[in-house]
Amino acid sequence: MTDSLAFRPRGLTRLFREEWFLAISVLTCVVVLGFEGELFQQLSNPVWLAFTFFGLFAAVLGSALSVVRHADHLAERLGEPYGTLILTLAITSIEVMAISAVMIHGENNPTLARDTLFAVIMIILNGMVGLSLLFGGWRRPEQSHNLQGANAYLGLIVPLATLSLILPSFLYSSGGQHPSAPRQMVLGIISVGLYSVFLMLQAGRHHHFFAEEGEAPVKPAIRPGRRAIWHHTVLLFAYMGPVVFLVEELAKPIDYVIETLRAPVAFGGVVMAVLVATPEAISAVRAAAANHLQRSINIFLGSVLSTIGITVPAMLAVSYLYAHPVTLGLEGSDLVMLVLTLVVSIITFASGRTHVMQGAVHLVLFLSYVLLIFQQ
């Protein structure tokens, strides 16, 4: 009965108030399609460059935030851990499609996938974790979480991050960073295989690892006026369409900034990482501030795990199909920062309790990462 209201005048008005940004996203796509030449011919003008970059960035980010909003509604209807799983898979899908579009579209940037993956890990495990623990512990001496769930996440994040970003630095020579086909296949199978096993455990026999300890599973109540599951599912995919198209167009001003203005090579990866990490960061910080630290952990650790488990095999597949070589191994200070972040993350979640000091440590690591970007 309530779902039929969407087709009445009052329901349409409410629908427009809720989904007005979809019209902006579609309009932005139409403008870019119709005036693509004029838009990108004047990038040498600093004002026009800033307008184009931030306009496209805002459209992509707003659409990604809308994806998260509908994923959160689905989470309320389906309950945990399925709700958080939908959120992380939706954002990871956006990340995969965005990086793939940029790789296929523009000039070959062999480090784009690596830089984006590394930036996502730094933003989430340091920036997002730091803010969540800081806001969550500001009014409370300590916050508790399910230790088994955190261990399950980190037990996969550490080996997959090592195999994807650390080990390649010691396998490839300086003149041949492109992994061979057998190594690509092995790494892809390992990543997809381990992540698939994790999903079966998370949604199956060990789903209680990802809920608050002692919390009984409660089926979410359906309140009057709630939209149907299909409604949020359709709109979730509707918002993902403009993201995939506009992020490819966003690559043009990004390439201009890197190639012409001599910005750090990692700038492109950082921009992509900010786009995919910001929506989840908002959800995670809100959950921690509301004293739902377990949901916050499910979001940020689940996001890192899905990024490594899905993005790496997808990028290796794109590299093979379109003959775009990729460089996976980190070097120098980036390698040190990744190892340090993984070690600190293990220590942070080792006791099942967190506090403000741990959040401050992660934020310091994030600030160090940002400063090192501009010193390379």
Side-chain angles (χ1 to χ4, degrees):
M1 185 70 179
T2 57
D3 297 335
S4 63
L5 292 176
F7 300 100
R8 298 178 182 178
R10 183 180 301 177
L12 291 175
T13 302
R14 176 188 170 191
L15 182 64
F16 181 78
R17 287 200 309 265
E18 293 175 350
E19 311 302 337
W20 59 271
F21 199 86
L22 181 59
I24 293 179
S25 300
V26 173
L27 181 60
T28 304
C29 294
V30 172
V31 170
V32 172
L33 279 173
F35 303 95
E36 184 173 3
E38 293 81 356
L39 281 174
F40 300 111
Q41 283 179 354
Q42 306 179 42
L43 294 181
S44 57
N45 185 330
V47 176
W48 187 255
L49 173 63
F51 173 78
T52 304
F53 174 81
F54 287 109
L56 291 173
F57 185 89
V60 174
L61 182 59
S63 298
L65 288 171
S66 297
V67 170
V68 172
R69 175 165 55 86
H70 287 288
D72 282 338
H73 286 302
L74 290 173
E76 293 177 2
R77 299 296 298 269
L78 300 176
E80 293 294 342
Y82 306 104
T84 301
L85 186 58
I86 290 174
L87 174 62
T88 56
L89 291 179
I91 294 299
T92 304
S93 299
I94 291 177
E95 179 184 0
V96 170
M97 290 184 288
I99 301 176
S100 300
V102 175
M103 285 179 64
I104 297 171
H105 159 77
E107 296 182 5
N108 181 42
N109 181 0
T111 64
L112 175 66
R114 180 198 68 185
D115 292 339
T116 303
L117 182 59
F118 178 57
V120 168
I121 293 175
M122 290 295 103
I123 291 173
I124 295 178
L125 287 187
N126 287 326
M128 187 190 300
V129 169
L131 287 176
S132 297
L133 299 186
L134 195 65
F135 278 91
W138 191 256
R139 297 180 180 178
R140 307 170 186 89
E142 289 183 336
Q143 286 186 296
S144 61
H145 62 85
N146 193 324
L147 183 59
Q148 291 175 308
N151 286 339
Y153 281 120
L154 291 171
L156 285 184
I157 289 173
V158 172
L160 287 180
T162 302
L163 292 173
S164 301
L165 296 175
I166 298 177
L167 186 60
S169 299
F170 300 94
L171 291 179
Y172 309 141
S173 62
S174 59
Q177 287 291 322
H178 185 236
S180 62
R183 286 173 179 169
Q184 282 189 353
M185 184 180 299
V186 170
L187 180 57
I189 292 175
I190 291 174
S191 300
V192 173
L194 286 178
Y195 188 64
S196 299
V197 172
F198 175 83
L199 291 182
M200 289 189 293
L201 294 178
Q202 184 182 30
R205 65 174 65 181
H206 295 305
H207 65 275
H208 58 280
F209 285 2
F210 310 95
E212 294 287 350
E213 293 184 337
E215 180 184 25
V218 179
K219 186 176 181 179
I222 301 179
R223 297 192 302 268
R226 269 189 173 184
R227 302 289 192 184
I229 291 178
W230 68 263
H231 172 90
H232 296 294
T233 303
V234 170
L235 286 173
L236 185 148
F237 284 103
Y239 278 106
M240 289 178 69
V243 170
V244 177
F245 172 75
L246 293 176
V247 79
E248 182 177 352
E249 303 301 319
L250 180 62
K252 297 176 182 178
I254 290 176
D255 288 340
Y256 182 86
V257 170
I258 294 175
E259 297 170 6
T260 306
L261 303 183
R262 305 299 179 187
V265 177
F267 175 74
V270 172
V271 172
M272 294 297 171
V274 170
L275 284 174
V276 300
T278 298
E280 289 183 310
I282 295 174
S283 297
V285 172
R286 285 178 176 174
N291 203 24
H292 299 302
L293 182 61
Q294 185 59 48
R295 172 163 171 77
S296 184
I297 289 176
N298 290 343
I299 291 174
F300 50 65
L301 291 186
S303 177
V304 172
L305 180 57
S306 63
T307 296
I308 302 175
I310 298 177
T311 303
V312 171
M315 293 306 98
L316 292 176
V318 170
S319 170
Y320 177 78
L321 293 174
Y322 293 90
H324 282 268
V326 294
T327 300
L328 290 178
L330 294 172
E331 300 174 351
S333 60
D334 290 344
L335 187 59
V336 175
M337 286 299 300
L338 176 62
V339 174
L340 179 60
T341 297
L342 293 176
V343 171
V344 172
S345 297
I346 293 173
I347 296 173
T348 296
F349 298 108
S351 66
R353 293 183 176 276
T354 61
H355 49 78
V356 172
M357 189 65 219
Q358 293 168 320
V361 171
H362 282 274
L363 286 178
V364 168
L365 292 181
F366 178 70
L367 179 60
S368 301
Y369 162 71
V370 174
L371 294 176
L372 287 172
I373 291 176
F374 297 96
Q375 293 183 359
Q376 295 178 359

